[in-house]
């Protein structure tokens, strides 16, 4: 029973672990999917915040314009109310001044009061027109019309008093003024003007409140828009920063990958160069071994056979002419075989290179090439030949041999020049001909195995090779090798 419970618990724990692992995997997959989605959106999602900013600024522009229109409307309302109040004050001032001027004339008889009265009365009618125009289309226009009638009546009363003063004298006019003539009309005009002034006071307060509320609303809209715009700018900067980080990380990853690939290419190239160099060295050693075997074994057999034929000619061919002829023919064939063996050995591994030196081998190669093709050859070497390293001497000889072969096959040259110069740092080999030349595209062509082999031999010695087509025609091969890689230094064993 206990084992069964423990087994059930173990299975429950295992199931729980699997369930947790599945959730973790799903979360990771979700993160990867989300990351991939963001990476796909990376082309355009950075442009969303600027688009929102521009849209919001456009909306803010229209809202601000509407607020400015509200402020302008409130300002015009205040201006109109102030203009009406000013018109009311001017009209009342004109009426008061006209009454005062008339009474001053009645009391003093001074003509200046009459002049003032006349000028002020002339101002009343235009000011009434201004007030009527200011209240046109409003609910107070009827009061303005009544005020205009009352003002006409009041001015008529003042004119009548002035006429009585002229006809009956000042005493009669003063007595008329002391009566209630015109007083009731003046009181009604004053009340009407007070009502209009009170109305404009209320209107002025309402217009001021409307202007202040519009100004406050405009300020709040501007503040809110500025804050929201700053928030959008922050979001845009954040997204741009994330995008820059993502692109920087991707660029760094690509750069690291490129460096790794370049390192791998360099390693593989170095391996191939080392392998090719090793194969060339092995091939040269095999050729040398084969040349020694041909020289020792085949040469011994051919020499022994010639000796036997010579003995047979001396002891048995004297009495038989036919046998003597046949033995002589065999002797000639054996001589041809010895010459063939010698040529094969020289092709495999020049004996002059090992026994005499590089310069002698190059002279022999030039003589063979120029002699067989009828080409004029010019050569130049240092007066004293240094001790070349074995791999350097065979490489330089093979390079010259391949160059001569190319000249015979393709150049159609009539003359060939070879020169070898040395100093403490560089060994310089030049081979030039006056042939048809070589196209620039053939210098690095894949099918140019001879040039590739020469380049590889030069590269293996740490040097560089250049093929030129001079303006005068022909082809020039230039090989530069560090002297330390070509010549045996003091203390090094001499080449064998």
């Amino acid at each position: 029973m206990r084992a069964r419970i423990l087994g059930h618990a173990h299975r429950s724990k295992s199931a729980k672990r699997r369930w947790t692992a599945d959730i973790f995997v799903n979360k990771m997959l979700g993160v990867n999917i989300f990351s991939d989605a963001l990476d796909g959106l990376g082309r355009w999602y950075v442009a969303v915040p600027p688009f929102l900013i521009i849209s919001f600024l456009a909306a803010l522009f229209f809202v601000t314009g509407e607020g400015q229109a509200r402020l302008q409307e409130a300002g015009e309302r205040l201006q109109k109310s102030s203009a009406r109040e000013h018109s009311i004050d001017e009209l009342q001032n004109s009426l008061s001044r006209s009454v005062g001027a008339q009474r001053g004339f009645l009391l003093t008889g001074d003509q200046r009061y009459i002049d003032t009265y006349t000028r002020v009365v002339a101002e009343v009618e235009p000011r009434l027109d201004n007030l009527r125009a200011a209240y046109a289309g409003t609910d107070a226009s009827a009061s303005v019309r009544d005020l205009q009638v009352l003002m006409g009546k009041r001015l008529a009363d003042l004119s009548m008093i002035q006429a009585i003063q002229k006809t009956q004298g000042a005493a009669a006019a003063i007595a008329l003024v002391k009566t209630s003539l015109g007083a009731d009309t003046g009181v009604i005009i004053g009340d009407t003007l007070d009502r209009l002034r009170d109305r404009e006071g209320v209107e002025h307060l309402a217009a001021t409140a409307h202007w202040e509320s519009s100004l406050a609303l405009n300020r709040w809209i501007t503040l809110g828009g500025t804050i929201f715009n700053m928030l959008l700018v922050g979001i845009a900067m954040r997204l741009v920063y994330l995008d820059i980080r993502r692109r920087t990380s991707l660029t760094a990853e690509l750069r690291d990958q490129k460096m790794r690939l370049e390192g791998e290419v360099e390693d593989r190239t170095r391996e191939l160069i080392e392998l090719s160099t090793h194969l060339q060295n092995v091939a040269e050693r095999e050729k040398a071994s084969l040349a020694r075997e041909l020289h020792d074994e085949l040469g011994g057999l051919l020499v022994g056979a010639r000796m036997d034929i010579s003995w047979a000619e001396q002891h048995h061919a004297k009495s038989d002419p036919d046998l003597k002829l046949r033995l002589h023919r065999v002797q000639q064939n054996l001589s041809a075989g010895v010459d063939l063996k010698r040529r094969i050995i020289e092709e495999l591994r020049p004996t002059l290179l090992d026994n005499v030196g590089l310069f002698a081998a190059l002279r022999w190669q030039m003589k063979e090439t120029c002699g067989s093709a009828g080409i004029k050859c010019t050569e130049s070497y240092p007066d004293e030949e240094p001790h070349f390293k074995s791999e350097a001497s065979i490489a330089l000889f093979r390079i010259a041999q391949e160059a001569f072969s190319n000249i015979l096959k393709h150049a159609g040259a009539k003359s060939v020049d070879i020169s070898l110069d040395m100093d403490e740092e560089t060994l310089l080999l030049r081979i030039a001909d006056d042939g048809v030349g070589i196209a620039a595209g053939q210098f690095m062509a894949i099918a140019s195995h001879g040039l590739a082999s020469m380049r590889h031999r030069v590269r293996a010695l740490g040097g560089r090779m250049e093929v030129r087509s001079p303006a005068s025609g022909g082809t020039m091969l230039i090989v530069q090798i560090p002297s330390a890689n070509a010549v045996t230094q003091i203390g090094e064993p001499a080449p064998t």
Side-chain angles (χ1 to χ4, degrees), residues 3 72 83 136 163 217 298 415 460:
Q72 186 176 359
L217 179 61
L298 183 58
S415 64

Side-chain angles (χ1 to χ4, degrees), residues 33-53:
I33 292 173
F34 184 70
S35 300
D36 294 339
L38 281 182
D39 186 69
L41 292 174
R43 298 179 180 177
W44 62 271
Y45 77 92
V46 178
V48 173
F51 175 76
L52 293 177
I53 291 174

Side-chain angles (χ1 to χ4, degrees), residues 173-194:
I174 292 172
L176 183 61
V177 170
K178 292 181 178 179
T179 63
S180 60
L181 179 66
D184 296 336
T185 304
V187 171
I188 295 173
I189 291 173
D191 293 340
T192 303
L193 291 176
D194 289 338

Side-chain angles (χ1 to χ4, degrees), residues 366 369-377 407-408 412-416 434:
M366 285 285 291
T369 302
C370 298
S372 62
I375 299 175
K376 179 183 177 181
C377 297
I407 291 172
L408 292 178
K414 296 181 180 180
S415 64
V416 177
D434 59 352

Side-chain angles (χ1 to χ4, degrees), residues 182-228:
D184 296 336
T185 304
V187 171
I188 295 173
I189 291 173
D191 293 340
T192 303
L193 291 176
D194 289 338
R195 286 196 304 271
L196 290 176
R197 186 178 290 106
D198 293 339
R199 180 183 181 281
E200 292 307 321
V202 174
E203 176 65 18
H204 186 81
L205 292 176
T208 302
H210 178 64
W211 186 86
E212 291 178 351
S213 63
S214 299
L215 180 62
L217 179 61
N218 196 15
R219 288 177 176 176
W220 280 110
I221 290 175
T222 304
L223 179 61
T226 303
I227 294 174
F228 187 71

Side-chain angles (χ1 to χ4, degrees), residues 94-170:
S94 297
L95 183 61
S96 299
R97 287 175 63 191
S98 64
V99 174
Q102 187 188 53
R103 291 181 180 181
F105 174 72
L106 292 176
L107 293 176
T108 63
D110 190 351
Q111 188 63 32
R112 290 179 299 176
Y113 287 105
I114 292 298
D115 296 336
T116 301
Y117 171 80
T118 304
R119 187 176 67 254
V120 171
V121 169
E123 294 175 354
V124 170
E125 187 65 25
R127 289 177 177 176
L128 272 174
D129 294 337
N130 292 336
L131 188 64
R132 184 175 63 254
Y135 279 101
T138 64
D139 54 354
S141 59
S143 299
V144 174
R145 287 194 298 271
D146 295 339
L147 181 64
Q148 189 173 8
V149 173
L150 293 172
M151 289 295 295
K153 184 178 179 181
R154 181 60 174 164
L155 291 177
D157 292 339
L158 292 176
S159 298
M160 184 180 65
I161 292 173
Q162 186 177 5
I164 291 174
Q165 187 268 342
K166 289 180 179 181
T167 56
Q168 299 180 11

Side-chain angles (χ1 to χ4, degrees), residues 472-483:
S472 58
T475 305
M476 178 180 292
L477 173 68
I478 302 175
V479 175
Q480 295 181 6
I481 298 174
S483 297

